[in-house]
């Protein structure tokens, strides 16, 4: 380990010790034991470099050399400040976090009598909520991954969502994360936990926007448990600043006959690393994973997925697409593991990229680890440009060349975005993508 | 409507069209026939403004404008329509959105007000009937996964929506069974008026049984070697193109 990384580790350890003395009464809470365990795991781990196989194409040096301060200041934000991010009619429940801190006054949480819990996580950690402690840190492996260990040691806040059995929520639940650095660097440790019991159904929308410019690091972890016969959908839209660093772990465990759909749209960020782990842990479970990103300037977006087929008759389907311009870089690395007993597995993986400049680059790395014999697995990667024939076809119908390009690029994104069933959100994301395409592509 | 004079066109240094003269007036249907490689599709594509062709000599005047100087989209907005030999599949762009975009662009160009959603849907429904297409097509991606016949009918549907002055049908009959051919031809005949014109490019005579031309031209080795009425098409059907080749060789 180099001196810089070892200094950084020391500063995290000091930060933890200082943090501990400030905790007062909450040192008695069970979460504290978890934090300490995570820290001791962190101590024996090393920060990845491009020599680390899983980080071959993503150089974290710019993140590691910065050593962002841990922010505890709470900027004054009124609801009129974030009004521009409102999508009318989208959600009945919205939890708002500014720089990782929960803002009750900006949030709206409906009172619920039927056992549904929608709450900031920190509150329940303090209350000793049984459902939280049953599941927290059970899926995202803090003893294996350094950033998850850090997140677990420093858990700030996030959303806790609990859907009791046979409860189907019609309206999505929204988590609105707003960054407001005002030029002051900081780091945050966001943590969500979504638990859906047997036969339940829920859609969670997590959005990340920014109010001012600046550098910061978001280390976030979302854990998801999908009960037998339950359906959980998670849609994320990320529009952080172009100087921000985002390291995310999303880890889902699927039980029998369950389904998990995930759709991630990344438009902002300087270096973005999305780690997505799915464990198909019950027979007949299925997961559909979609990702779309835009990378221009010197943006770097890395989608790293691991699908573990552990039981028979499970389906997984992955489609990741990106449009890159300037010196934008994209990475897709997808591992599909099929256990010996996971017969009748169907696993499809596809990564398609549109490169609009000579300097843009995409690295695609599929990995299949198959130990069962009755399995259907396919993977494919394509890199292309806009089809000149299609441009001419649209021009011949009276559409200008510039509009034809925008239309075709939007259409490339459309294959992902059209999977969003909530029309308000779908149109909102379409517009955001179109605006970016017109401005920068 | 369109006046082509001594048009010479090259692709990568090879001269494909060697001095085409053609004049089409409003209300007329002209057929351009010829063996493979004679330059039929090149002519259609040059008129629509496809790049990759070098116009080395000649002029094209369309509705009083110098067509060669115009961008493909402006040619379309001025009322020139090409029904493609191979319509392009565009996944992710829905038919309804595409057509609304296209039609409203043309209307804006002419200073007309754009259609609202309801008016437009009504217009699309009406024109779909012309080519016996189901409304489901409107929510599908442009040509994506369409059968050969559906693609060609879709070209005629778009023609009906855009109401061009001059339509060029590039081998619209290729790959069509007789039923689809009749539907396509029927659509064209219903769209025919005294004000518009058609150039039908085809290898075979069979489409001309249903779309009856006023003038038939035979294109061979980049030149129009013969022009006549619809009897010329019948003659070609009976005797093939060999006599054209022989005649041309003796000149």
């Amino acid at each position: 380990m180099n001196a810089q990384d070892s200094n950084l580790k020391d500063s995290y350890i000091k930060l933890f010790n200082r943090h501990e003395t400030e905790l007062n009464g909450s040192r008695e809470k069970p979460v504290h034991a978890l934090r300490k365990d995570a820290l001791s795991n962190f101590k024996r781990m090393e920060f990845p470099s491009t020599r680390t196989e899983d980080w071959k194409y993503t150089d974290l040096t710019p993140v590691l050399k910065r050593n962002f301060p841990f922010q505890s200041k709470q900027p004054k934000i009124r609801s009129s400040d974030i009004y521009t991010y409102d999508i009318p009619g989208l959600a009945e429940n919205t939890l708002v976090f500014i720089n990782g801190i929960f803002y009750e006054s900006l949030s709206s949480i409906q009172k619920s009598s039927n056992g549904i819990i929608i709450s900031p996580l920190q509150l329940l950690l303090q209350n000793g909520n049984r459902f939280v402690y049953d599941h927290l840190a059970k899926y995202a492996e803090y003893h294996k991954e350094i950033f998850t260990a850090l997140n677990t040691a420093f858990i700030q806040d996030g959303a806790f969502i609990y859907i009791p059995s046979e409860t189907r929520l019609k309206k999505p639940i929204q988590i609105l994360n707003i960054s407001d650095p005002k030029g002051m660097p900081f780091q945050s440790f966001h943590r969500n936990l979504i638990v859906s019991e047997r036969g339940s159904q829920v859609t969670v929308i997590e959005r990340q926007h920014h109010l001012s410019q600046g550098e910061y690091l978001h280390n976030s972890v979302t854990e998801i448990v999908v009960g037998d016969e339950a359906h959980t959908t998670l849609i994320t839209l990320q529009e952080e600043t172009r100087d921000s660093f985002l390291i995310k772990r999303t880890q889902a465990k699927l039980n029998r006959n369950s389904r998990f759909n995930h759709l991630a749209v990344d438009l902002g960020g300087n270096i973005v690393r999305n780690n997505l782990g799915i464990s198909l842990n019950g027979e007949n479970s299925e997961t559909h994973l979609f990702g779309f990103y835009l990378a221009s300037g010197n943006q770097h977006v890395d989608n790293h997925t691991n699908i573990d087929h552990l039981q028979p008759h499970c389906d997984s389907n992955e489609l990741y697409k990106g449009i890159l311009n300037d010196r934008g870089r994209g990475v897709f690395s997808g591992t599909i593991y099929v256990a010996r007993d996971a017969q009748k597995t169907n696993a499809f993986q596809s990564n398609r990229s549109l490169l609009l400049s000579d300097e843009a680059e995409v690295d695609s790395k599929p990995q299949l680890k198959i130990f069962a014999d009755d399995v259907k697995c396919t993977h494919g990667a394509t890199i292309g440009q806009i089809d000149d024939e299609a441009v001419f076809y649209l021009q011949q119908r009276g559409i200008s060349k510039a509009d034809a390009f925008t239309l075709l690029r939007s259409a490339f994104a459309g294959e992902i975005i059209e999977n969003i069933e909530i029309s308000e959100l779908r149109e909102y994301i379409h517009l955001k993508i179109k605006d970016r395409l017109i401005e920068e592509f | 409507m369109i006046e082509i004079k001594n048009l010479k066109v090259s692709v990568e240094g090879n001269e494909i069209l060697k001095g085409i003269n053609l004049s089409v007036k409003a209300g007329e249907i002209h057929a351009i026939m010829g063996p493979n490689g004679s330059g039929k599709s090149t002519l259609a594509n040059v008129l629509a403004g496809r790049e990759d062709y070098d116009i080395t000599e000649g002029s094209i005047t369309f509705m009083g404008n110098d067509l060669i100087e115009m961008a493909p989209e402006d040619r379309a907005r001025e009322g020139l329509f090409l029904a493609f030999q191979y319509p392009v599949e565009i996944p992710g762009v829905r038919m309804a959105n595409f057509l609304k975009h296209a039609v409203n662009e043309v209307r804006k160009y002419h200073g007309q007000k754009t259609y609202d959603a309801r008016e437009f849907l009504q217009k699309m429904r009406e024109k779909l009937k012309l080519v016996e297409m189901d409304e489901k097509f409107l929510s599908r991606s442009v040509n994506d996964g369409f059968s050969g016949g559906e693609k060609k009918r879709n070209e005629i549907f778009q023609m009906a929506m855009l109401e061009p002055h001059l339509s060029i049908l590039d081998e619209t009959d290729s790959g069509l069974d007789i039923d689809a051919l009749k539907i396509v031809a029927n659509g064209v005949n219903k769209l025919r008026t005294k004000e518009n014109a058609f150039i039908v490019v085809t290898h075979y005579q069979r489409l001309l049984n249903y779309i009856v031309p006023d003038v038939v031209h035979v294109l061979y080795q980049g030149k129009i070697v013969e022009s006549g009425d619809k009897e010329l098409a019948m003659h070609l059907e009976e005797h093939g193109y060999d006599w054209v080749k022989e005649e041309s060789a003796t000149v």
Side-chain angles (χ1 to χ4, degrees), chain A residues 387 389-390 392-403 407-408 410-412 414-415 418 426 434, chain B residues 49-51 72-73 76-77 80-82 84 88 90-94 98 101-102 105 143 155 158 162:
Chain A
D387 179 7
E389 280 295 300
F392 179 64
Y393 191 80
L394 294 173
Q395 279 183 286
Q396 215 301 307
R397 299 304 184 246
I399 295 168
S400 75
K401 196 170 189 173
D403 282 359
L407 202 64
L408 291 170
S410 297
F412 185 81
E415 199 187 353
E418 289 294 316
R426 187 176 62 233
K434 201 176 157 194
Chain B
R50 190 191 287 271
E51 290 172 14
E73 57 266 39
R77 292 163 183 174
L80 187 146
F81 182 92
L82 173 66
F84 282 62
V88 185
I90 313 179
V93 178
R94 290 187 193 192
F98 156 64
H101 199 131
E105 283 297 324
N143 294 323
E155 294 295 289
Q158 292 173 46
L162 287 159

Side-chain angles (χ1 to χ4, degrees), chain A residues 4 130 228 252 265 291 307 360 401:
Chain A
Q4 180 188 294
R130 159 173 88 85
D228 294 352
V265 177
I307 319 283
K401 196 170 189 173

